[in-house]
Amino acid sequence: MVTILQSSDDVVEQVANALLAFEKAHPEAECIVYRFNPASVRIRIVDSVFQGLSKSDRHDYALKFLNLLPDDVLAEVSILLCLEPGESSFLDFEFQDPSRSQL
């Protein structure tokens, strides 16, 4: 099940629905989405499908699911973090304890 951090809105819900399709195709996946500020939505996907793939290939794979979103919704995605299980990234901290936007 997709985790929505903080409050939700129509754009976040649409992104979460696209991520549900990813999770359906990859039952072990863990997806998180949240609105960082009025113009920015952040996504983290953790799944073994990303093992051995470059960052670019990981994004391309995830975008197969996200590209079904309307352009105006997809334009609000500012971070797409695709990790394999056990992998860490500096940006991952933003999903564990989201900072507050200055907007």
Side-chain angles (χ1 to χ4, degrees):
M1 175 168 225
V2 175
T3 301
I4 299 174
L5 300 180
Q6 302 172 343
S7 62
S8 185
D9 59 29
D10 184 54
V11 169
V12 170
E13 291 292 331
Q14 289 182 64
V15 172
N17 286 333
L19 292 172
L20 281 173
F22 187 97
E23 286 185 341
K24 184 175 181 180
H26 304 278
E28 300 299 316
E30 296 177 14
C31 300
I32 295 176
V33 60
Y34 73 96
R35 176 161 299 284
F36 177 64
N37 63 38
S40 175
V41 172
R42 294 177 170 181
I43 300 169
R44 180 185 75 181
I45 305 171
V46 179
D47 190 60
S48 60
V49 73
F50 300 128
Q51 188 169 4
L53 297 180
S54 68
K55 288 181 184 178
S56 176
D57 289 342
R58 293 174 184 199
H59 288 166
D60 288 346
Y61 189 84
L63 285 171
K64 289 178 186 178
F65 296 86
L66 297 173
N67 278 335
L68 300 175
L69 293 167
D71 289 342
D72 60 327
V73 172
L74 191 56
E76 292 194 38
V77 176
S78 62
I79 291 177
L80 174 57
L81 183 60
C82 301
L83 301 173
E84 59 185 84
E87 184 178 17
S88 63
S89 167
F90 178 74
L91 282 175
D92 195 35
F93 293 110
E94 280 296 311
F95 291 87
Q96 296 171 21
D97 186 22
S99 59
R100 301 191 80 201
S101 171
Q102 298 300 315
L103 294 180

